[in-house]
Amino acid sequence: MPGTVVSVSQHFVGFGHSNAWCVASASKSWSSELGTTFEFDVVGSKAFPGGLTVRANDGRPIASPLIIAAIERAQRQHGGAVALSFCFGNHYNAIGLLEGRFPLELVHPDAPDPIRADNAILVPHQLVIAQIRARIVALEELFAILTASGTRVVHVEGPPPTSDATLIDKTVERARAQVPDARAAPPELRRRLWLCQRDATAAMCRETGVEYLVPPPSTQDDQGFLLDRFAKDGVHGNGAYGRHMLAWIEETVTADTLLGAR
């Protein structure tokens, strides 16, 4: 039955950008009583020469040969495999990690906080969702190709923002080499931007037949920020977060469990 958790040994082929590193590293020393296994052969911002999809001679998009090779090899060796995506996940930071000259504000249905400044420019949250959807077209193409081939695909959302000012300041400091007056946007704004990213990615997963998994509540505080003990820097999870996510994936993504996005 959908929603039934069963003890089934599964093999996951993980791939993705920078948010995959902590999970990939944790998988090297992680063991499962259920026999669940993970491999991460294609990880990092530069791991996909040409992009997540490339174009055939007739112009059709085809999946990255590196991703296809990893999935097909795992399917042969393990009698089946689940493709596990950690692609992107930091678009909300690209949009709103730094505060602009004119402060922005948005109200999300799951975070209806008051406007923080009289001079803030209110941006409709649906506009942010649409902008993020436009940024993940390549991922949408990849997912459509994989699911059309019969591959089971699970996409894991990036971690929510941290509210640790020290970690954020260190992250912003690196930007000051190019933008001397760079300063961090307020945590509340970054949290609402992450919610927009969640909505955009979940909708895309539903439309492409991909299961969508958000980080568990146990990684977040009461306000929805990433707990300090799981943060590596201002935008990524650490080793403890990686280990926590492996257990969460095993617990949630079982052979007979269909997530809400599938």
Side-chain angles (χ1 to χ4, degrees):
M1 291 178 61
T4 300
V5 178
V6 294
S7 296
V8 176
S9 174
Q10 292 191 100
H11 183 74
F12 291 90
V13 179
F15 59 90
H17 297 101
S18 59
N19 280 316
W21 279 120
C22 65
V23 188
S25 297
S27 70
K28 296 177 181 179
S29 59
W30 189 80
S31 61
S32 163
E33 294 182 356
L34 301 180
T36 303
T37 51
F38 294 84
E39 65 175 273
F40 290 84
D41 289 338
V42 191
V43 173
S45 299
K46 299 180 180 179
F48 309 95
L52 295 175
T53 61
V54 295
R55 298 289 164 178
N57 292 334
D58 59 3
R60 291 181 299 106
I62 59 177
S64 164
L66 294 175
I67 296 175
I68 293 298
I71 293 173
E72 291 181 346
R73 182 176 61 253
Q75 289 174 335
R76 289 193 302 269
Q77 293 177 348
H78 298 272
V82 179
L84 189 64
S85 163
F86 291 86
C87 293
F88 301 131
N90 269 322
H91 284 311
Y92 80 96
N93 281 309
I95 294 172
L97 177 63
L98 302 180
E99 181 86 285
R101 178 178 303 177
F102 302 101
L104 300 179
E105 184 55 283
L106 63 91
V107 176
H108 188 278
D110 290 342
D113 303 299
I115 305 302
R116 60 185 168 89
D118 292 338
N119 62 338
I121 300 173
L122 181 62
V123 178
H125 79 282
Q126 290 291 352
L127 180 63
V128 177
I129 292 173
Q131 183 179 3
I132 294 176
R133 278 297 300 265
R135 290 172 177 236
I136 58 176
V137 169
L139 187 60
E140 183 173 356
E141 284 187 339
L142 173 65
F143 285 170
I145 294 167
L146 293 179
T147 55
S149 71
T151 301
R152 184 183 182 189
V153 183
V154 176
H155 178 72
V156 183
E157 185 59 81
T162 176
S163 60
D164 187 318
T166 301
L167 289 177
I168 289 293
D169 286 345
K170 289 181 179 179
T171 302
V172 172
E173 185 63 35
R174 295 196 293 269
R176 292 197 176 104
Q178 296 180 329
V179 185
D181 60 347
R183 62 185 186 276
E188 294 79 7
L189 176 61
R190 297 199 308 275
R191 179 170 63 98
R192 292 194 282 277
L193 289 169
W194 182 83
L195 291 171
C196 290
Q197 176 176 285
R198 179 202 66 183
D199 292 350
T201 310
M204 183 270 288
C205 287
R206 283 194 299 271
E207 294 168 13
T208 53
V210 168
E211 299 169 48
Y212 177 69
L213 185 63
V214 294
S218 54
T219 62
Q220 304 167 40
D221 65 18
D222 292 341
Q223 294 180 301
F225 293 103
L226 185 67
L227 291 168
D228 292 350
R229 67 177 181 271
F230 291 126
K232 175 184 178 182
D233 53 30
V235 296
H236 298 104
N238 59 16
Y241 180 81
R243 292 187 294 274
H244 204 84
M245 289 305 299
L246 290 171
W248 176 241
I249 292 164
E250 180 184 59
E251 175 187 345
T252 308
V253 187
T254 63
D256 291 338
T257 298
L258 300 186
L259 305 186
R262 185 168 183 173

